[in-house]
Amino acid sequence: MPIFEYSCNSCGKEFETLVRGSSPAPECPACHGSKLHKKLSAFAAITGSTVTRTELPGECQSCGHPDGPGACQFN
């Protein structure tokens, strides 16, 4: 389930959202507009057994979302 980054053509808000195969088309969380531009973004993969749970990003208080704590889709 990839996370895609979008920019809203109506209000300019940038956001990211989790996209599942059966998900409806995303909409802007600020203005609920549907005219979005998918941004080019890098991806990350966690592989191997050397990664422990403590090395992963924490819940919404430290996820690193550019809009600050609690702004991600996983709260």
Side-chain angles (χ1 to χ4, degrees):
M1 291 180 282
I3 297 174
F4 289 108
E5 295 180 57
Y6 292 93
S7 176
C8 179
N9 292 342
S10 299
C11 71
K13 169 86 173 161
E14 293 183 355
F15 64 98
E16 56 187 36
T17 187
L18 179 67
V19 178
R20 294 183 171 104
S22 61
S23 296
E27 66 176 26
C28 176
C31 72
H32 302 288
S34 60
K35 294 182 181 178
L36 306 174
H37 172 75
K38 189 184 294 186
K39 296 174 60 178
L40 181 63
S41 57
F43 67 92
I46 299 173
T47 60
S49 61
T50 59
V51 176
T52 65
R53 186 151 180 78
T54 57
E55 294 171 332
L56 298 175
E59 296 179 23
C60 291
Q61 297 304 314
S62 62
C63 66
H65 192 280
D67 290 338
C72 71
Q73 299 292 321
F74 301 107
N75 48 359

